[in-house]
Amino acid sequence: MRFENDYLNTNRMKKLLRAIFHVDHLIVTSITMMIIWLLVFVTVNVEFLDPVVHALESFSMTDIYYRIENTGKPVPNQQITLVDMTELTSRDRDKIAGVVKQISQMNPTALGIDIIFEGLQANADADDELAEAFFEAPENTVLAFKLTEPDAATGTFGNAVHSFFAQETGLTEGTVNVTNNPHRSMTTYPVFFIEHTDTVLSLPVQLSRMLGAAPLPGAREQTINYKGTAFPVVDYKDLPRSRHLIENHIVLLGSTREESDKHLTPLGQRPGMEIMAYTLLSILEGVHVYHAPFWQCLLWALLTGILTNIVDLFLTRRLERSHSTVLLFLTESEFYEKFMAFMLMALLTLCTFLFFVYHNYYVNSIPALSTIVILPEGRLLYIALLTVLKKKLKWKAVDHSLYAEEVNEKLQ
């Protein structure tokens, strides 16, 4: 009796292992991924489906993470202060000179200027006053400049716009160009660009280098950590009363209320100077997010599809053998498949989310999520293929498939 029980248990284990490691799971998943590839090809190449493409582009696990992290009360930042002079224009150079001098006298750790003073103006005295203010500025001052005449083919720029006094003062400069996609939130900031054959660094990167930090070697973009922090914003008129926010602080001088300089971020529309502050803080704190290469995303999708098919097969077969009327009803209904897909997608999203939170490793989950959704169609297509092979070619190998029962039902 004991021998018979052992034999039965061994037999069940063999059947179980055969069902788990059956090649059918790989074939069904491969067919599903081929369907997805076809759908992607059609979506990308058909003009009226552009909104679908943009919706997929805008999905990012980083956006979800930063929105969750910013649900609580932000912590006041103790390192970086933003000085707002939105009311002033480039014509108010004498007033801006006074602002720069006030900040310089308060001994900031570093000073970033997010405004470009292009060309001389009619008021020569104001120009001279502004240039003099920057001659007296701290050594750790970075001036903004902008690259122009982009060459899309090479990814380089042919010219640049600098402040008129930049060369005379000898201060460091950093570009304020951004690579902004209107359909995606801004989660990275450029580290460098190429002007002709020269490598030019962005303004936040130049400031970080002065403070002894830098992005990862060779990185073209810095991941921005939009953690729950609130940067103090000081109006230029309130500088005399805000010395405690300037002294021994990194100061960014520019505009925080100009609509034309706002960009989409995971936190909504934010001014360019605030995004610079987040970027600089990310570099100083050594925040680096590693993005999984495309082949890893495909492998993740393949494994997800195989696991989904195994789980679905076992649960379906088990429920079909149940004597419960309710369970049998659920198995035959579309609700069961949709519920299973939803639960698996939630589990997958949680796994990728935890990878990002605890290991700073970002895996694009769209291929894997798409595989879960389309898998039933891939399974139906595979069963149809097996039916044709048995009916037309009398292929006996079909009888060894996990779906032999479904094939035989179709042929009856």
Side-chain angles (χ1 to χ4, degrees):
M1 189 71 178
R2 183 179 176 183
F3 175 77
E4 288 179 3
N5 288 335
D6 290 343
Y7 176 76
L8 288 173
N9 289 334
T10 305
N11 229 21
R12 285 173 187 165
M13 183 57 68
K14 285 182 179 178
K15 286 182 178 180
L16 178 64
L17 292 174
R18 175 180 171 274
I20 291 175
F21 295 102
H22 203 284
V23 71
D24 280 0
H25 302 302
L26 177 61
I27 297 173
V28 169
T29 305
S30 300
I31 292 173
T32 302
M33 294 181 72
M34 288 173 65
I35 296 172
I36 294 170
W37 178 85
L38 181 62
L39 291 173
V40 170
F41 178 80
V42 172
T43 304
V44 170
N45 289 277
V46 176
E47 188 175 349
F48 74 84
L49 291 174
D50 278 352
V52 178
V53 178
H54 298 326
L56 291 173
E57 285 180 350
S58 64
F59 176 82
S60 174
M61 190 62 64
T62 55
D63 289 13
I64 298 172
Y65 170 61
Y66 293 130
R67 285 184 193 129
I68 292 173
E69 190 169 290
N70 280 270
T71 52
K73 187 177 180 181
V75 179
N77 190 269
Q78 303 295 325
Q79 291 179 268
I80 303 173
T81 298
L82 310 182
V83 176
D84 179 51
M85 56 176 195
T86 306
E87 295 176 14
L88 302 179
T89 67
S90 58
R91 294 187 297 273
D92 300 314
R93 292 185 172 179
D94 52 345
K95 294 180 180 178
I96 295 173
V99 172
V100 174
K101 286 180 179 178
Q102 285 185 72
I103 295 173
S104 299
Q105 290 166 1
M106 295 179 186
N107 300 317
T109 304
L111 174 60
I113 310 297
D114 186 24
I115 185 170
I116 302 169
F117 304 95
E118 185 181 358
L120 296 171
Q121 294 186 349
N123 189 346
D125 291 338
D127 288 345
D128 291 342
E129 193 174 344
L130 183 65
E132 183 183 347
F134 280 103
F135 270 111
E136 298 171 1
E139 288 185 5
N140 284 355
T141 297
V142 180
L143 303 175
F145 78 99
K146 189 172 184 177
L147 296 168
T148 59
E149 300 176 15
D151 185 347
T154 61
T156 62
F157 291 81
N159 212 337
V161 177
H162 301 264
S163 292
F164 69 91
F165 52 80
Q167 287 188 339
E168 286 75 14
T169 59
L171 293 174
T172 303
E173 291 183 281
T175 177
V176 290
N177 293 70
V178 294
T179 52
N180 199 15
N181 185 334
H183 305 295
R184 293 188 62 182
S185 58
M186 195 170 173
T187 55
T188 60
Y189 200 93
V191 171
F192 66 90
F193 288 100
I194 305 297
E195 182 187 4
H196 296 300
T197 57
D198 297 328
T199 300
V200 293
L201 301 176
S202 64
L203 191 147
V205 174
Q206 290 284 37
L207 280 170
S208 70
R209 284 161 59 92
M210 288 180 171
L211 299 169
L216 285 174
R220 187 148 199 150
E221 292 183 322
Q222 167 65 40
T223 300
I224 307 172
N225 180 13
Y226 290 100
K227 68 177 187 176
T229 188
F231 297 103
V233 179
V234 176
D235 189 272
Y236 76 97
K237 296 175 186 175
D238 297 328
L239 279 171
R241 296 187 296 274
S242 306
R243 187 182 186 95
H244 64 288
L245 294 173
I246 305 298
E247 190 172 17
N248 298 323
H249 281 66
I250 303 164
V251 177
L252 295 178
L253 176 63
S255 170
T256 62
R257 291 174 287 152
E258 192 175 342
E259 288 299 322
S260 61
D261 188 37
K262 290 191 175 181
H263 307 273
L264 180 63
T265 74
L267 311 182
Q269 293 287 336
R270 288 291 188 271
M273 192 162 69
E274 185 177 343
I275 296 172
M276 283 188 195
Y278 274 114
T279 305
L280 176 58
L281 189 62
S282 301
I283 300 172
L284 294 176
E285 294 184 346
V287 174
H288 305 298
V289 175
Y290 300 90
H291 291 255
F294 184 63
W295 70 267
Q296 286 187 14
C297 297
L298 288 181
L299 180 61
W300 184 240
L302 184 67
L303 294 175
T304 300
I306 291 171
L307 182 61
T308 302
N309 203 59
I310 292 171
V311 171
D312 182 78
L313 181 73
F314 274 85
L315 285 180
T316 303
R317 297 285 167 86
R318 192 173 186 84
L319 290 173
E320 284 175 349
R321 291 194 298 269
S322 173
H323 298 294
S324 170
T325 305
V326 176
L327 291 178
L328 286 171
F329 168 74
L330 289 176
T331 306
E332 296 299 325
S333 69
E334 289 187 8
F335 170 78
Y336 165 74
E337 281 193 356
K338 288 181 170 54
F339 178 74
M340 281 298 303
F342 172 78
M343 293 303 294
L344 288 168
M345 289 171 70
L347 180 62
L348 173 70
T349 304
L350 177 63
C351 290
T352 53
F353 182 76
L354 293 175
F355 253 96
F356 177 78
V357 172
Y358 292 107
H359 300 287
N360 286 338
Y361 199 85
Y362 176 72
V363 180
N364 188 342
S365 56
I366 290 179
L369 292 172
S370 303
T371 303
I372 294 174
V373 174
I374 307 296
L375 197 70
E377 314 307 321
R379 193 183 303 121
L380 289 174
L381 193 60
Y382 180 54
I383 292 172
L385 178 62
L386 291 177
T387 305
V388 171
L389 289 173
K390 186 167 184 180
K391 184 177 181 180
K392 299 295 183 181
L393 302 179
K394 308 298 181 184
W395 200 31
K396 293 182 179 180
V398 174
D399 294 329
H400 299 290
S401 169
L402 295 172
Y403 303 100
E405 189 177 331
E406 287 86 341
V407 172
N408 291 331
E409 285 180 3
K410 284 181 172 290
L411 292 175
Q412 286 177 358

